[in-house]
Amino acid sequence: MTTLATALGARWPGHENPIVVEVDPAGGDLMARFRLPDTPGLVSLAAAARGRSGADPNLLVQHTQLLPGGLRVVLGPVGAEQARAALTVLASGPSSPLRRATDQPEPTVIADCGRVDPDSPAFPIIRSADAMLLVARPHDDELAHVALKLQAAQQWSRRPCFVLVGDGYPTAEVSQALRIPVMGRVPRDDKGAAVLGGQGTGRRGPDKSALGRAAARIALNLYAHGHQPTGNGARAPHLRLAVPGEPVSGAALQPLGPQTRNGATP
């Protein structure tokens, strides 16, 4: 869910300016949505990663563009073929710019993975992320699929988190039934989504919308969750890589995702 990914980036707590990276194998949306040039972006990042500059820990930042409100993004190509080719280079391996970015104290990287399953070329990004955020509507059909897939999801991430979209079962009831922490609920907010789609200005433009307020709460909960002690009593590292994707639909689990780095939690 690209809108949620950008909302989290726009409302991330603290003073750092996070980076949203479109790693959806089906192609990105932000380039067309904001009428931005196709470079720099994911394709140019992959090309640079193949060369000597692939070892540069600042490579990711060098291939960002700014949305009108100032949020930094790495734009995915519109076409699925280009997106998959770029992800083949970027998604795995110690030289991946995404992995190297997580070795830096900041910024937080929010990777929009789209519809994800273990065969997705974006799957290694989810596995190496600090947090995996699952998204679903709180209805019987979608929650049933989530319940069936949670065991698999916990293999992807030691502590997956959850976001609910729209009306349905109460948040506390879902969290208790599925035994998974719910970071928040995203309301239907067409006006707030329009602001995040380029029909508004200012990085804090969404702050007065229902969607923006919900994203701020979710971002704060993720940030706090990432600083809780781990099972061995150690503090979790700073959240380096969150991975938003699309809502659960049908039989396939579609994370918006977080996983925590080195077994820690986001």
Side-chain angles (χ1 to χ4, degrees):
M1 184 181 287
T2 303
T3 299
L4 180 55
T6 54
L8 288 173
R11 304 295 286 132
W12 197 256
H15 299 293
E16 72 172 278
N17 187 4
I19 298 174
V20 173
V21 185
E22 286 192 295
V23 292
D24 188 340
D29 296 322
L30 294 176
M31 188 187 304
R33 187 177 295 179
F34 289 91
R35 299 182 180 180
L36 295 170
D38 59 4
T39 189
L42 198 73
V43 173
S44 65
L45 177 64
R50 292 190 188 100
R52 293 181 180 178
S53 60
D56 184 351
N58 297 313
L59 187 62
L60 186 68
V61 176
Q62 296 167 11
H63 291 266
T64 60
Q65 295 191 45
L66 294 179
L67 295 188
L71 179 65
R72 292 182 292 178
V73 297
V74 177
L75 300 173
V78 175
E81 185 175 352
Q82 275 189 308
R84 286 180 169 270
L87 286 173
T88 299
V89 176
L90 298 172
S92 59
S95 62
S96 167
L98 293 175
R99 185 178 294 275
R100 286 185 176 276
T102 66
D103 293 331
Q104 305 303 307
E106 58 179 44
T108 292
V109 178
I110 301 173
D112 175 14
C113 294
R115 299 174 65 93
V116 178
D117 59 53
D119 296 325
S120 168
F123 188 66
I125 295 173
I126 293 177
R127 293 295 299 264
S128 64
D130 290 328
M132 182 179 70
L133 188 58
L134 306 172
V135 184
R137 295 174 182 84
H139 303 158
D140 285 325
D141 53 350
E142 292 199 11
L143 292 177
H145 291 303
V146 172
L148 289 173
K149 293 293 183 176
L150 271 181
Q151 184 174 2
Q154 287 164 351
Q155 300 298 316
W156 305 353
S157 168
R158 293 193 179 213
R159 297 183 185 177
C161 304
F162 205 20
V163 162
L164 301 175
V165 179
D167 297 329
Y169 286 111
T171 300
E173 188 174 331
V174 173
S175 181
Q176 182 177 14
L178 296 182
R179 298 181 181 179
I180 183 173
V182 177
M183 297 292 104
R185 185 184 293 258
V186 179
R188 180 179 177 86
D189 179 9
D190 294 337
K191 291 183 179 179
V195 170
L196 289 163
Q199 301 175 34
T201 58
R203 181 174 183 258
R204 293 299 178 186
D207 63 350
K208 295 182 179 179
S209 70
L211 174 59
R213 292 193 296 271
R217 289 191 295 270
I218 293 167
L220 186 62
N221 287 339
L222 281 168
Y223 187 86
H225 192 52
H227 287 74
Q228 292 177 358
T230 62
N232 59 12
R235 299 291 292 180
H238 171 65
L239 180 63
R240 305 285 174 81
L241 183 62
V243 186
E246 296 181 356
V248 173
S249 171
L253 180 63
Q254 298 150 32
L256 172 215
Q259 173 195 2
T260 66
R261 189 154 97 141
N262 298 328
T265 118

